[in-house]
């Protein structure tokens, strides 16, 4: 049967209404782009998306992104609990030892915090914003096919076909879009299957409490809950539901005890399979989130990276759709975000290396544990886990270029994050330079100019911030060069508007 084709041509179709697809849809709609989200599942509620098993650690980078779109308060209202500093292969990082002065380019603000939110709550906050922005989400329509015609695509879902100029696969680790569009997904095969489960145990004293290594892997046991890493080569078929009998067998094997599970309430599994798309764009199809990178859930980074992808891609794709983008703007998405994906895979592999059964891994784990317990070590790990040391290589000499912008506080009580909520670029003029202001004014509504009153902060005289909060250009010099600023404005926002006579 031929699919029924809609006559409407969308700017962008996003496949998947998970957190990454929803956030990307919000970014596109904020920039005035027509976006349709197609979601396979009929209903947003899934039991594993709720706490406790659906709980996810959100990094400082994610808090900042949400704050820059006015979503952080909504989330904080719903999940008022800061997360711990994080962990590396189960080695807890002590927040009290973290020294924020190691990141002098950060300005303290409400977003300088990590959070824990369950996926259901995060998705509800994002879906509400998407609704406010007029995004249409069609549920029960999983993408099943793709045709490319001239300069548009036909996206098939059930017996329907949707016309669109661009398609973004945010459809998770087993992405159909990735397969349909022929993306290569390269990486390494798993060494373990991990289980996280809510259980009743007949004889809990049989298991050692807390987290410990065994000859088969790792066990973490606390009242009502267990986590297991079974180094089985990733043999468990994740398509199969986890039964009580299966989980008990795994727990017995890994713990070396005859422990008895009386009830299995809920279980989730993952492996350390690590794969990364070799490119994030093929023609008019792009990937973001788990569709572009899969790895173990160790250290909780996948969601943070996916939301970072969405923030980075949204304004660039929107500018491309609207015909305003410099030629290579969209290519910078892959150039900036694929290295983050690569880091993510390696971060998770390094944890596997010290979790393997055997004396070598135990010895290495001991060394990492000692290092992580030092002030410098805790600060280094937190810098990675919280996403605060990330810097894109944008060229340019200033040490702040390519970093997340400091959340400067202005005399009128506003902060930089609040100026970014419109999704435009921002020139922060801290030295009261008429020359810079006049130069930026030629980019019209693409770049807002703010400043005044605050005086120099962090030694900065001026700062050009992209819509995603990344510093595009900065100067400490009160007499900063207008041509340097104009170069950065042209690079990220296209040519200035022509002067009208
Ligand atoms: C146990 C566990 C703990 C974790 N802890 C953390 C953590 O603490 N911090 C962290 O950052 N990350 C963590 N992660 C990873 C994080 O959950 C994922 O990286 C994140 O959910 C990925 O979001 P996504 O939107 O890319 O994909 P998904 O959440 O998988 O969403 C994809 C969406 O696409 C839909 N879909 C699928 N196929 C189609 C199709 N063909 N057409 C249309 N729609 C489709 C799906 O129904 C789904 O709604 C954890 C993961 C696990 C398993």
């Amino acid at each position: 049967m031929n699919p029924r084709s809609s006559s409407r041509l969308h700017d962008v179709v996003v496949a998947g209404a998970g957190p990454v697809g929803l956030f990307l849809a919000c970014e596109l709609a904020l920039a005035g782009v027509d976006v349709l989200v197609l979601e396979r599942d009929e209903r947003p509620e899934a039991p594993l998306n709720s706490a406790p098993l659906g709980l996810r650690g959100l990094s400082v980078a994610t808090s900042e992104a949400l704050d820059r779109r006015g979503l952080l308060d909504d989330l904080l209202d719903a999940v008022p609990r800061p997360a711990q500093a994080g962990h590396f292969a189960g080695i807890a990082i002590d927040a009290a030892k973290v020294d924020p002065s190691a990141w002098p380019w950060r300005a303290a603000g409400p977003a300088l915090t990590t959070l824990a939110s369950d996926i259901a709550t995060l998705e509800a906050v994002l879906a509400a914003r998407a609704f406010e922005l007029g995004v249409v989400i069609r549920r029960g329509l999983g993408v099943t096919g793709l045709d490319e015609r001239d300069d548009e695509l036909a996206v098939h879902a059930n017996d329907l076909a949707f016309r669109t100029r661009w398609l973004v696969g945010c459809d998770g680790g087993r992405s159909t879009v990735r397969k349909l569009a022929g993306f290569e997904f390269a990486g390494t095969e798993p060494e373990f299957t991990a289980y996280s489960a809510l259980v009743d145990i007949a004889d809990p004293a049989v298991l050692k409490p807390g987290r410990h290594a065994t000859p088969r892997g790792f066990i973490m046991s606390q009242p009502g809950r267990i986590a297991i890493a079974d180094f089985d080569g990733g043999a468990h078929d994740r398509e199969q539901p986890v039964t009580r009998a299966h989980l008990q067998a795994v727990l017995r094997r890994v713990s070396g005890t005859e422990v008895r599970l009386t009830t299995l309430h809920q279980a989730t599994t993952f492996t350390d399979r690590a794969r990364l798309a070799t490119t994030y764009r093929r023609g008019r199809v792009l990937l973001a989130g788990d569709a572009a990178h899969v790895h173990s859930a160790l250290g909780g980074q996948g969601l943070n990276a996916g939301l970072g992808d969405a923030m980075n891609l949204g304004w660039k794709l929107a500018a491309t759709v609207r015909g305003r983008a410099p030629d290579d703007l969209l290519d910078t998405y892959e150039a900036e975000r694929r290295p983050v994906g690569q880091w993510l895979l390696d971060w998770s592999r390094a944890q596997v290396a010290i979790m393997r059964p055997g004396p070598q891994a135990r010895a290495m784990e001991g060394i990492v544990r000692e290092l992580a317990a030092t002030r410098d070590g805790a600060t280094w790990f937190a810098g990675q886990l919280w996403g605060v040391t990330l810097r894109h290589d944008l060229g340019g000499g200033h040490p702040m270029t390519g970093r997340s912008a400091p959340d400067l506080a202005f005399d009128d009580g506003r902060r930089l994050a609040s100026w970014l909520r419109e999704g435009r670029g921002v020139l922060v003029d801290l030295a009261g330079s008429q020359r810079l202001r006049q130069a930026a004014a030629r980019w019209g509504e693409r770049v807002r100019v703010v400043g005044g009153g605050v005086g120099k902060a962090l030694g900065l005289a001026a700062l050009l911030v992209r819509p995603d909060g990344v510093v595009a250009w900065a100067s400490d010099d009160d007499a900063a060069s207008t041509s340097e600023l104009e170069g950065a404005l042209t690079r990220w926002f296209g040519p200035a508007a022509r002067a009208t006579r």
Side-chain angles (χ1 to χ4, degrees):
M1 189 171 69
N2 278 338
R4 283 180 289 131
S5 188
S6 77
S7 55
R8 177 160 173 198
L9 177 62
H10 296 281
D11 290 332
V12 182
V13 165
V14 172
V20 176
L22 289 171
F23 194 39
L24 177 64
C26 291
E27 287 297 287
L28 292 164
L30 181 66
V33 163
D34 159 53
V35 53
L36 169 70
V37 180
L38 299 176
E39 164 57 46
R40 179 194 59 197
D41 291 350
E42 294 276 355
R43 303 181 59 78
E45 306 86 21
L48 284 173
N49 282 351
S50 300
L53 296 189
L55 220 47
R56 301 290 184 261
L58 302 183
S59 66
V60 170
T62 294
S63 296
E64 280 180 337
L66 296 173
D67 194 28
R68 287 169 178 159
R69 296 299 183 255
L71 290 163
L72 182 61
D73 289 344
D74 295 356
L75 194 66
L76 282 171
D77 284 349
V79 285
R81 50 186 161 223
Q84 300 303 307
H87 72 89
F88 183 82
I91 301 167
I93 309 302
D94 181 355
K97 290 195 174 135
V98 176
D99 173 14
S101 71
W103 314 309
W105 54 88
R106 292 272 152 173
L112 202 59
T113 180
T114 55
L115 295 173
S117 167
D118 59 345
I119 293 193
T121 304
L122 178 62
E123 284 185 355
V125 166
L126 293 171
R129 173 57 57 88
F131 180 74
E132 277 167 29
L133 290 165
V135 173
V136 175
I137 302 173
R138 296 199 52 184
R139 295 193 158 271
L141 287 178
V143 171
T144 49
L146 182 63
D147 289 330
E148 195 150 2
R149 313 169 181 154
D150 304 327
D151 57 357
E152 64 175 78
L153 302 165
V155 179
H156 301 245
N158 298 355
D159 61 343
L160 300 174
F162 298 89
R163 296 173 60 212
T164 182
R165 292 205 186 284
W166 296 89
L167 169 66
V168 189
C170 299
D171 49 343
R174 296 171 195 196
S175 170
T176 304
V177 170
R178 188 180 67 224
K179 291 167 195 152
L180 290 172
F183 284 88
E184 196 183 333
F185 204 42
T188 47
E189 289 306 307
E191 295 189 27
F192 67 68
T193 305
Y195 302 78
S196 182
L198 305 179
V199 292
D200 294 334
I201 300 179
D203 39 8
V206 173
L207 291 177
K208 247 199 310 202
R211 182 181 178 282
H212 60 276
T214 79
R216 258 309 278 238
F218 266 87
I219 300 217
M220 195 279 298
S221 164
Q222 62 190 62
R225 187 162 177 185
I226 49 165
I228 313 168
D230 179 16
F231 277 75
D232 61 350
H236 172 66
D237 178 358
R238 295 187 61 224
E239 298 288 332
Q240 297 301 318
V242 179
T243 61
R244 186 195 60 79
H246 174 77
L247 193 67
Q248 175 170 286
V250 173
L251 188 55
R252 287 182 171 185
R253 188 165 66 224
V254 179
S255 67
T257 69
E258 286 303 303
V259 61
R260 268 192 316 121
L261 292 186
T262 49
T263 317
L264 169 60
H265 298 285
Q266 217 177 32
T268 180
T269 67
F270 62 88
T271 74
D272 57 318
R273 182 169 171 262
R275 286 184 183 263
L276 180 66
T278 55
T279 169
Y280 277 21
R281 175 185 169 190
R282 278 176 68 86
R284 295 183 164 273
V285 186
L286 295 128
L287 300 177
D290 278 14
H293 36 74
V294 295
H295 55 91
S296 83
L298 296 172
Q301 291 293 329
L303 175 57
N304 291 303
L307 295 172
D309 292 346
M311 189 83 166
N312 189 289
L313 175 59
W315 68 281
K316 295 175 181 174
L317 182 55
T320 306
V321 165
R322 301 182 76 191
R324 290 175 158 187
D327 284 348
D328 65 347
L329 184 68
L330 201 50
D331 296 337
T332 66
Y333 166 57
E334 176 179 315
E336 294 173 12
R337 293 306 301 179
R338 197 169 171 280
V340 176
Q342 184 65 59
W343 172 85
L344 203 57
L345 265 62
D346 288 343
W347 185 254
S348 111
R349 286 174 179 138
Q351 294 177 78
V352 178
I354 63 165
M355 285 177 65
R356 281 185 192 122
Q360 293 86 351
R362 291 292 70 69
M364 194 64 206
E365 185 197 357
I367 291 171
V368 174
R369 193 177 288 281
E370 270 192 46
L371 287 174
T374 65
R375 191 170 167 79
D376 283 351
T379 304
W380 185 85
F381 276 103
Q384 305 286 312
L385 288 165
W386 297 357
V388 293
T389 46
L390 176 64
R391 185 179 183 195
H392 301 303
D393 181 8
L394 305 187
H398 197 281
M400 214 172 265
T401 312
R403 294 190 190 279
S404 177
D407 193 16
L408 300 169
F410 298 97
D411 282 356
D412 62 2
R414 289 192 71 158
R415 292 176 300 106
L416 179 55
S418 69
W419 286 114
L420 283 162
R421 285 180 190 168
E422 298 165 335
R424 299 197 240 165
V426 176
L427 175 72
V428 187
D429 167 29
L430 296 160
S433 166
Q434 280 309 315
R435 285 180 311 108
L436 293 186
R437 285 169 174 257
Q438 278 165 7
R442 293 174 47 229
W443 274 262
E445 59 160 27
R446 283 172 280 175
V447 179
R448 179 183 272 282
V449 181
V450 303
V454 66
K456 284 179 81 166
L458 303 172
L460 290 163
L463 194 67
L464 176 65
V465 184
R466 305 189 321 194
D468 56 0
V470 171
V471 175
W473 171 85
S475 177
D476 298 338
D477 185 353
D478 287 1
S481 147
T482 313
S483 61
E484 264 184 32
L485 171 64
E486 287 170 342
L489 283 162
T490 307
R491 176 175 178 196
W492 295 108
F493 300 99
R498 259 189 243 124
T500 47
R501 285 164 195 275

